[in-house]
Amino acid sequence: MVNNMQEKSLKEQQLDALEELYHYSQKLIPAIETVSKELAGERQDDTEEYLKSVLNGINWIIEVLNRTMELVNEEEIVIDKDKINEDILKLGEAIREKNDEKMAEVLKEKVLPFIINVSTRAAVVTNQVFN
């Protein structure tokens, strides 16, 4: 009985986290799009700070995903953790090289589709349970 309560509690916590992830990602997606454009040639005075905020947001999404992966991929593997780790390493490499063009490309071509996919999956998982 206690084990069932703990499991339910964990699942509820995971659902809450995924719901929060969904709402946060709705702000993060346009931010990634904006910072990608800035890095691709429209750099602003605050691009560096903006990039730091976006990277913190991406890290937060990954942390939540790590704690909810079993729920996210419960019925089928929707999020490939190895693939996103590979893409994040590419982003890290571009950042270390201070290569704006490469950062923009990885953010736009790899990270953004990943965040959209995670966001969509979070919406599906949380809505399925609430219906």
Side-chain angles (χ1 to χ4, degrees):
M1 180 82 175
V2 171
N3 196 22
N4 273 352
M5 285 177 61
Q6 286 174 334
E7 275 181 37
K8 187 171 191 212
S9 169
L10 175 61
K11 190 170 186 174
E12 285 174 353
Q13 289 173 11
Q14 289 175 323
L15 287 169
D16 289 346
L18 284 172
E19 196 171 338
E20 188 67 32
L21 180 150
Y22 171 77
H23 293 296
Y24 183 74
S25 68
Q26 299 310 294
K27 297 174 188 151
L28 185 59
I29 290 166
I32 293 171
E33 291 169 339
T34 300
V35 84
S36 295
K37 286 177 193 160
E38 290 182 14
L39 290 168
E42 299 173 23
R43 198 174 247 282
Q44 307 293 314
D45 292 339
D46 66 347
T47 297
E48 208 61 42
E49 285 302 309
Y50 201 30
L51 176 61
K52 284 179 188 171
S53 294
V54 165
L55 294 175
N56 286 336
I58 293 166
N59 284 333
W60 184 83
I61 295 272
I62 291 170
E63 283 180 36
V64 172
L65 186 59
N66 284 336
R67 290 185 171 96
T68 59
M69 191 64 90
E70 65 196 34
L71 194 56
V72 168
N73 286 339
E74 191 171 46
E75 294 170 22
E76 62 181 312
I77 303 231
V78 179
I79 307 295
D80 182 347
K81 197 172 171 182
D82 292 336
K83 174 76 175 99
I84 189 53
N85 285 341
E86 192 179 296
D87 294 338
I88 294 299
L89 288 174
K90 288 177 188 171
L91 181 60
E93 186 179 300
I95 292 167
R96 279 190 302 282
E97 294 171 0
K98 297 189 186 306
N99 184 332
D100 284 3
E101 203 171 285
K102 191 172 175 184
M103 281 187 267
E105 182 183 323
V106 174
L107 282 167
K108 188 177 176 190
E109 304 297 323
K110 307 285 185 190
V111 177
L112 185 59
F114 160 73
I115 299 292
I116 291 169
N117 188 22
V118 169
S119 177
T120 301
R121 186 63 185 159
V124 167
V125 169
T126 55
N127 286 334
Q128 275 183 342
V129 174
F130 294 124
N131 287 343

